[in-house]
């Protein structure tokens, strides 16, 4: 049953990521804004999910399945490499800094909001 929930969450997370990241990346050309947005939103929601202490069943569905497929480390890495390759070094560094620091801050914020 857990594998089915994990798969269902992953299915909807991947579709959501595709729609949001495609829209955001098309609207903002200077940075891969769509991918940045899904990673920051996913970090925030995962911070909340950890603070709530979800049941193992719902954790598999939402945190591991949905958010695992919704966020994307590999796409972020390849977009950063593409920015470097396109000689957009400042944008690449900015993108990586915002992703890593912002993701950590958003996860902490989600966790803190639930814990209070």
């Amino acid at each position: 049953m857990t594998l089915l929930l994990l798969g269902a969450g992953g299915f909807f997370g991947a579709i959501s990521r595709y729609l949001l990241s495609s829209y955001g990346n098309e609207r903002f050309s200077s940075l891969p804004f769509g991918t940045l947005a899904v990673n920051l939103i996913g970090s925030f929601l995962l911070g909340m999910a950890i603070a709530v202490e979800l049941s193992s069943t719902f954790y598999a569905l939402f945190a591991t399945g949905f958010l695992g497929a919704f966020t994307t480390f590999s796409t972020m890495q390849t977009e950063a490499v593409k920015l470097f390759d396109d000689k957009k070094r400042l944008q690449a560094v900015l993108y990586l800094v915002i992703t890593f620091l912002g993701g950590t801050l958003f996860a902490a914020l989600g966790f803190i909001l639930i814990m209070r």
Side-chain angles (χ1 to χ4, degrees), residues 2-101:
T2 301
L3 289 177
L4 284 174
L5 291 171
L6 182 72
F11 174 79
F12 289 108
I15 291 170
S16 299
R17 178 185 71 206
Y18 173 78
L19 294 173
L20 186 56
S21 65
S22 296
Y23 176 77
N25 289 347
E26 289 172 12
R27 302 262 303 152
F28 302 94
S29 60
S30 60
L31 284 177
F33 184 77
T35 305
L36 178 62
V38 298
N39 286 331
L40 294 178
I41 292 166
S43 295
F44 179 77
L45 293 174
L46 187 55
M48 292 177 81
I50 289 169
V52 169
E53 297 180 11
L54 301 172
S55 70
S56 61
T57 302
F58 196 68
Y59 193 88
L61 172 70
F62 182 69
T64 306
F66 182 84
L67 292 177
F70 182 69
T71 58
T72 173
F73 187 76
S74 58
T75 299
M76 182 269 300
Q77 294 296 325
T78 57
E79 289 170 344
V81 167
K82 177 121 175 60
L83 287 169
F84 277 114
D85 189 53
D86 292 344
K87 309 291 190 254
K88 297 178 180 178
R89 288 177 179 83
L90 181 61
Q91 289 97 326
V93 170
L94 181 64
Y95 179 51
L96 290 170
V97 168
I98 292 170
T99 300
F100 288 116
L101 292 179

